[in-house]
Amino acid sequence: MSLNEKPFADLLAATRHSAVHLEMRDLYAVGDEAEDYAAFLRTGTANTDPTKSFWPEWLPLVTDAVARGVVMRRVRIVSEPVTDYIRYEHAITVLNLQAGEDVRWLSRRQAADLALPGADFWLLDGKVVQFNHFTGDGDWAAKERTDNPDTAALCAAAFEAVWQRAVPHEKYTV
């Protein structure tokens, strides 16, 4: 099975040291969270029940990885003032943290002088990159994976530069 054909869960299960995720959009409109996001817009309250929505699929992947010693870090570059979607994402991040992810936030203005890849990505063990491509309105378009060392090094450097400037979730207010 080629790198692009493997389920992400299998790639994460094979990860031994680190999994980092850089997110750079102000709006995601992916189907698995559409209902929860719509409810948030109506009520102002986020669904943080770990047994609902997409969480039962994601949280065990994170807790298993962290239990194996994998350090999972996620950083989000956001425009300020933030969008409604980012307020929603900030509200549900408590579940990422409870599962063992370390999450930080960075104002887009503070990232303006950083060289960044053109798409969100995951970098696993500093070797495998998964770029996540989205449509203009935020829905999934495609994923693209590579184990090219130059691409992995570019993503690692970009992530670390953003991480150093970013604010821990607990200190970032929306």
Side-chain angles (χ1 to χ4, degrees):
M1 183 179 300
S2 77
L3 186 59
N4 277 308
E5 293 172 320
K6 291 182 181 179
F8 183 79
D10 291 355
L11 293 177
L12 189 56
T15 301
R16 296 292 168 240
H17 307 288
S18 65
V20 301
H21 189 191
L22 179 62
E23 297 178 35
M24 299 182 282
R25 294 183 56 92
D26 288 321
L27 173 69
Y28 295 88
V30 293
D32 61 356
E33 64 187 19
E35 188 176 315
D36 283 350
Y37 179 53
F40 174 79
L41 291 175
R42 282 191 312 277
T43 67
T45 303
N47 177 4
T48 56
D49 181 345
T51 67
K52 303 293 184 198
S53 193
F54 55 89
W55 294 110
E57 296 169 13
W58 178 246
L59 296 177
L61 298 177
V62 176
T63 56
D64 289 350
V66 171
R68 289 193 316 276
V70 174
V71 175
M72 291 193 69
R73 297 182 294 160
R74 177 187 304 252
V75 66
R76 296 175 173 133
I77 298 174
V78 297
S79 298
E80 293 175 331
V82 299
T83 62
D84 286 339
Y85 181 84
I86 294 301
R87 285 189 315 102
Y88 160 75
E89 197 170 49
H90 188 271
I92 64 173
T93 296
V94 63
L95 293 172
N96 298 84
L97 299 171
Q98 289 171 1
E101 284 188 63
D102 191 356
V103 181
R104 293 186 181 182
W105 303 80
L106 183 65
S107 165
R108 192 168 311 284
R109 288 183 182 188
Q110 293 176 315
D113 63 340
L114 298 177
L116 301 172
D120 291 9
F121 66 84
W122 278 94
L123 176 61
L124 306 175
D125 283 340
K127 296 177 183 175
V128 174
V129 178
Q130 174 175 298
F131 290 108
N132 293 328
H133 300 289
F134 298 89
T135 63
D137 59 3
D139 202 358
W140 285 105
K143 68 176 182 284
E144 176 186 0
R145 295 182 183 148
T146 182
D147 56 5
N148 178 291
D150 293 336
T151 304
L154 168 77
C155 291
F159 183 88
E160 292 304 327
V162 173
W163 186 259
Q164 292 306 312
R165 293 184 184 184
V167 176
H169 176 76
E170 308 77 38
K171 294 180 181 179
Y172 186 77
T173 56
V174 293

